[in-house]
Amino acid sequence: MNEQIDKESVEEGECSKRIEEAGEDSTTELDETEREIIVQSARHSALRLFGMNLYSTLVVCVFYLFSWETLASCSLGVALTVYLYYAFEEDESWDGGGLSWTLLSFAIITPMSSSIGMAFNRREVALRAISVLRADAYNIYSAHAIWDWRTPNHTTANPTGRDSRTKFSSLHHSDQILTTLLDMGQELAQLLTLPCITRARHRVTKQGKHEYSRLTVLNKQAMRSVIALHINTLTLKCEHIKHEGLPANEASRIRQWEHSMLQQINILRHIKTYRTPQALRSFSRLFAIILPGFYAPYFAQVARDLRSLPFGLIFTLLTSIALTALFESIRVLEDPFVATTTLDGIDINDELDALLRAELIDARAFFFPYADKLDLKPLIKEESKKFLDASKHT
């Protein structure tokens, strides 16, 4: 019995080790037992799920929705509530409960909710653009890799297609396309993860303007590199295989994918550069901080009616936290490419670097099973520059 338990423990440990390896290397295949272990580990009882979800909610609120605005708003509301409570403690004629909540509902919460909707829509547009961009990159690579180079079984190192009739190397050519696409994805990810330059401070303060000008230089340089180097390299490579005999209709399709890719790159750059209305964000920030203080008479009256100052202060804190949490929800969605600091951001490094890399490397392994493993060191810039320089003289 003990030997059987030890054997099962060893097998489970080996499965867990292979699952971890699969998480690090997408080429690692899992068998049915390992798949079942993953599925079963994700299933929990209703009570355990309730506890886990409640704990996670509290952590999110504390670490992601509480901010310096929350502290300022709570401090102002509590201070004014305590002052009014004791200032009019002996005045029986004082009544602070006549304040209307209409201002809070329509002038503050409604614009904040609209801003959250606009910010979330921008995130969805960015996700669609990334999906199209990755699909275009895959189609461009596969078109360059499999065009009439070898027999359909593509299992021999000495093909009978155009590779056998010319000195043109399909593997070398498609590897240049692959490394161009990978390097472009990496540089685009670096562009999209630059610090935000659309806050109010970047338009008003001297330090903010200086920060804006310096980051704008990086933004333009990165965009110029993506277009002038990588997109142009793809275009010239297409013309290269046209010289080898690629039909015009197939070249036109490849150029359409290049056009679509450039369009999606510009969409992502515009989402990064242009945000929801700055005036609306400034309005939301200001009133999320100061409005609970204006409702302090109401909170003080609640404390007097219930003969409990702590209850009135709790009401004050809940109102301040609700308003500033809504504003923080707007702020964290303003830049959808910062998954390292927010929960709902897009992991752009994973989408445009790791996942794109895995997809293209898997495609290369399928199209060229006899080829050596590709060296993924960032040498494409030198190769592309040489290609561009040579193209100027042809």
Side-chain angles (χ1 to χ4, degrees):
M1 179 67 69
N2 292 333
E3 292 180 357
Q4 183 178 359
I5 294 176
D6 293 339
K7 183 178 180 181
E8 292 177 353
S9 300
V10 171
E11 291 178 352
E12 184 175 351
E14 292 177 352
C15 289
S16 300
K17 184 177 180 180
R18 279 181 49 80
I19 291 170
E20 292 178 0
E21 292 176 352
E24 298 175 357
D25 184 3
S26 61
T27 61
T28 303
E29 295 291 338
L30 300 177
D31 57 28
E32 290 299 324
T33 302
E34 292 162 343
R35 295 174 188 272
E36 186 64 24
I37 290 175
I38 294 176
V39 173
Q40 290 296 332
S41 64
R43 293 174 178 170
H44 307 285
S45 65
L47 180 61
R48 185 178 182 184
L49 284 176
F50 170 76
M52 293 170 63
N53 291 334
L54 182 60
Y55 170 76
S56 302
T57 300
L58 293 175
V59 171
V60 169
C61 289
V62 172
F63 289 99
Y64 290 94
L65 295 182
F66 290 179
S67 60
W68 289 108
E69 286 83 0
T70 305
L71 180 61
S73 179
C74 290
S75 299
L76 180 62
V78 168
L80 290 176
T81 300
V82 171
Y83 169 75
L84 293 173
Y85 178 82
Y86 287 110
F88 297 96
E89 186 177 12
E90 304 298 333
D91 188 354
E92 297 294 336
S93 63
W94 184 79
D95 183 12
L99 294 175
S100 173
W101 290 87
T102 303
L103 176 64
L104 182 65
S105 301
F106 291 98
I108 307 299
I109 296 180
T110 300
M112 283 187 175
S113 301
S114 300
S115 297
I116 293 174
M118 288 187 286
F120 192 80
N121 286 335
R122 292 171 65 256
R123 172 181 174 271
E124 298 304 298
V125 171
L127 286 172
R128 286 193 292 270
I130 292 171
S131 300
V132 175
L133 178 64
R134 284 173 49 185
D136 290 338
Y138 190 91
N139 287 331
I140 289 173
Y141 171 73
S142 61
H144 283 273
I146 66 175
W147 172 71
D148 198 21
W149 297 128
R150 53 195 173 280
T151 53
N153 61 11
H154 49 75
T155 57
T156 61
N158 298 311
T160 58
R162 293 180 187 272
D163 266 356
S164 63
R165 304 194 296 271
T166 69
K167 296 181 179 180
F168 190 80
S169 172
S170 60
L171 177 61
H172 179 69
H173 171 81
S174 59
D175 280 351
Q176 287 183 326
I177 295 295
L178 186 147
T179 48
T180 299
L181 293 170
L182 292 182
D183 200 61
M184 182 181 67
Q186 189 176 34
E187 290 197 12
L188 183 59
Q190 292 174 356
L191 167 65
L192 297 176
T193 52
L194 286 174
C196 175
I197 55 174
T198 58
R199 305 295 185 192
R201 67 176 185 273
H202 296 121
R203 303 291 184 181
V204 178
T205 66
K206 182 178 179 180
Q207 183 179 357
K209 290 179 180 179
H210 180 63
E211 181 182 340
Y212 174 85
S213 62
R214 298 180 66 181
L215 288 173
T216 300
V217 172
L218 292 179
N219 188 306
K220 292 180 178 179
Q221 287 181 348
M223 193 64 186
R224 189 181 302 116
S225 176
V226 168
I227 296 177
L229 182 59
H230 304 303
I231 295 294
N232 290 345
T233 298
L234 294 175
T235 301
L236 292 173
K237 286 294 186 181
C238 182
E239 295 300 315
H240 197 174
I241 57 173
K242 279 178 65 179
H243 177 73
E244 296 294 325
L246 180 72
N249 61 327
E250 296 186 33
S252 175
R253 171 58 66 183
I254 294 176
R255 296 303 306 278
Q256 287 179 357
W257 286 325
E258 294 171 9
H259 167 78
S260 175
M261 177 181 290
L262 182 58
Q263 187 178 35
Q264 304 311 316
I265 289 173
N266 278 293
I267 288 174
L268 293 172
R269 184 179 68 86
H270 291 158
I271 292 175
K272 177 70 178 181
T273 306
Y274 302 99
R275 307 299 177 85
T276 54
Q278 178 61 61
L280 185 58
R281 282 182 279 142
S282 298
F283 173 84
S284 300
R285 181 192 297 270
L286 179 63
F287 280 91
I289 295 174
I290 68 172
L291 198 61
F294 283 98
Y295 278 89
Y298 180 86
F299 303 136
Q301 185 63 43
V302 169
R304 289 184 60 178
D305 293 342
L306 297 176
R307 301 182 184 278
S308 174
L309 179 59
F311 190 87
L313 295 179
I314 291 173
F315 202 2
T316 305
L317 293 173
L318 289 177
T319 304
S320 298
I321 291 172
L323 287 177
T324 55
L326 277 175
F327 172 76
E328 191 66 13
S329 300
I330 300 172
R331 191 190 67 80
V332 298
L333 279 176
E334 275 300 310
D335 189 351
F337 308 115
V338 286
T340 55
T341 57
T342 66
L343 291 177
D344 296 312
I346 301 172
D347 192 345
I348 201 68
N349 288 313
D350 192 45
E351 294 288 342
L352 293 182
D353 189 6
L355 292 178
L356 180 62
R357 183 183 299 266
E359 291 173 355
L360 295 182
I361 293 299
D362 288 345
R364 181 182 185 272
F366 180 80
F367 294 141
F368 302 99
Y370 55 84
D372 296 332
K373 187 175 181 181
L374 180 64
D375 185 7
L376 294 178
K377 292 181 180 180
L379 301 176
I380 182 58
K381 289 185 177 181
E382 289 75 9
E383 294 181 2
S384 298
K385 288 177 180 178
K386 291 179 182 178
F387 182 79
L388 289 171
D389 293 339
S391 66
K392 295 177 182 178
H393 303 289
T394 59

